[in-house]
Amino acid sequence: MAAISGDIDPSCAICGAPPFPECPHESQRLELALDQAQQRWEKMRSIRSWVLNHARDQIITTFHHLRTTRYHAHLAYLQTLPCFTLYHRFNGAPPIHPTQLQVLHAQIQQANGVFRQGVDEDWRRSCLRYPEVLDYYFELVGVELPGEEEVEVRDPRFGGVEKLG
Ligand SMILES: [Zn+2]
């Protein structure tokens, strides 16, 4: 009879397979449990929503600035078009030659298209900055780990009952 050692390795807690070769179930299940515990943790929830809200506000504010700048440039360009002031003053029906009006219409339409494309591009670029902006706000969150010698760490109590083991 072989000698029995006290520190034998247990079988997989999930599938019951022998300890060697090690199967992935326990570490997968632990990873899942850790994720679930993190989701239950109130502090993590408030950190996530704090970071998300600030990042979103920041992205949207930046986008609004870009859009305003682009809109002013758009208006400035429209004002350089021949007869645009007249067109504006007569609410789109200026007393000018129909051919001239047609040309002006086409120019305005084209400029509006360029403006819209520019706004889409500003928004797309703003959204691409999310990773950087999220990192920034996460970095602002102070996280302090307890010392290893603190009693709650050295001698934890769970559920108000006797300590484990
Ligand atoms: Zn297993």
Side-chain angles (χ1 to χ4, degrees):
M1 194 176 140
I4 293 181
S5 152
D7 56 355
I8 58 165
D9 289 305
S11 307
C12 171
I14 313 299
C15 76
F20 301 107
E22 208 177 329
C23 65
H25 303 123
E26 289 177 357
S27 54
Q28 285 168 355
R29 198 62 76 91
L30 178 55
E31 198 71 30
L32 184 68
L34 182 62
D35 287 346
Q36 288 169 345
Q38 189 175 299
Q39 280 161 24
R40 287 193 300 272
W41 190 35
E42 199 53 55
K43 278 183 200 161
M44 182 52 83
R45 271 214 287 270
S46 32
I47 290 173
R48 284 175 63 92
S49 58
W50 184 84
V51 167
L52 177 64
N53 290 337
H54 281 81
R56 202 149 48 189
D57 284 354
Q58 177 55 37
I59 295 288
I60 290 171
T61 304
T62 308
F63 166 68
H64 285 167
H65 283 309
L66 292 171
R67 189 178 58 184
T68 303
T69 307
R70 196 176 282 281
Y71 181 62
H72 288 145
H74 175 57
L75 286 185
Y77 170 73
L78 289 179
Q79 265 140 27
T80 68
L81 296 176
C83 302
F84 183 78
T85 318
L86 214 53
Y87 176 87
H88 193 67
R89 195 184 314 147
F90 285 87
N91 283 319
I96 57 174
H97 193 276
T99 316
Q100 214 175 357
L101 185 58
Q102 217 175 2
V103 170
L104 182 59
H105 266 153
Q107 285 170 322
I108 292 172
Q109 224 161 29
Q110 208 221 344
N112 285 343
V114 169
F115 174 57
R116 185 158 302 138
Q117 272 174 24
V119 169
D120 285 349
E121 180 61 17
D122 287 343
W123 179 238
R124 200 181 67 85
R125 280 199 204 160
S126 299
C127 288
L128 286 176
R129 291 188 53 236
Y130 261 118
E132 173 199 348
V133 175
L134 288 167
D135 284 351
Y136 175 84
Y137 285 107
F138 267 118
E139 283 301 324
L140 291 187
V141 178
V143 176
E144 219 176 299
L145 297 177
E148 291 302 317
E149 66 293 333
E150 282 181 31
V151 67
E152 292 86 349
V153 177
R154 266 193 298 109
D155 191 19
R157 298 286 198 276
F158 298 97
V161 226
E162 288 291 290
K163 64 174 176 173
L164 294 181

